[in-house]
Amino acid sequence: MYPTKGYTYTAPLRGRLSLLHEASGRIWKLTGDGPWTVGRSRDNTVCLQTDPYLSRRHGKIEVQSNVPFVVDLGTRTGLMLNDEPVTANPLKPGDIVQMAQTKFVFQGTIPPCFEDHYYRLPISIISRAM
């Protein structure tokens, strides 16, 4: 169990979290119970082979007691959260997660009214809805 810093969600988070890749605008909906892994290897939930400094399994996002956490998986280049190095830290909407040279925006929960059509909306509409 990781220490929390006071940010909790009231609704269940299962299958309702998302990550926005800053450079491409691609959105990953994190479905199921997790944990969700990020890295270069194709067996990760979020696979990015464009960053040569990203480890095969760089980090993960998991939920404990309805609080999402980002966790470094012991990589050389580490993990940053809002420009601060971390090994495990709770996430809140708008947090910038950097793994190697790759940045993601943690978007938190997908609004229930958008869940079925989330990926068909322009990013500007999704951002305003958050």
Side-chain angles (χ1 to χ4, degrees):
M1 177 69 82
Y2 307 111
T4 64
K5 291 186 179 175
Y7 192 89
T8 58
Y9 290 83
T10 55
L13 297 179
R14 182 178 175 202
R16 297 188 58 214
L17 299 176
S18 64
L19 279 179
L20 167 67
H21 183 232
E22 253 191 3
S24 69
R26 180 172 178 191
I27 298 168
W28 281 271
K29 181 179 178 185
L30 306 176
T31 59
D33 293 325
W36 304 277
T37 57
V38 179
R40 284 191 340 264
S41 178
R42 291 180 193 262
D43 63 345
N44 288 297
T45 311
V46 177
C47 173
L48 281 172
Q49 297 179 332
T50 56
D51 184 347
Y53 299 100
L54 196 65
S55 298
R56 284 184 297 258
R57 286 191 169 266
H58 201 98
K60 68 180 177 178
I61 294 175
E62 62 185 16
V63 176
Q64 292 187 8
S65 301
N66 215 41
V67 177
F69 285 85
V70 64
V71 180
D72 180 45
L73 296 176
T75 61
R76 287 186 195 161
T77 55
L79 189 145
M80 305 277 279
L81 181 64
N82 301 321
D83 295 323
E84 296 290 328
V86 296
T87 53
N89 216 67
L91 291 168
K92 60 187 182 312
D95 278 346
I96 306 291
V97 177
Q98 182 172 346
M99 296 182 187
Q101 296 178 342
T102 302
K103 289 186 179 182
F104 299 95
V105 179
F106 179 72
Q107 294 190 301
T109 59
I110 299 167
C113 60
F114 290 140
E115 280 187 21
D116 294 335
H117 306 287
Y118 195 58
Y119 297 101
R120 296 186 201 128
L121 294 171
I123 288 173
S124 59
I125 292 174
I126 294 169
S127 298
R128 279 185 264 141
M130 299 297 214

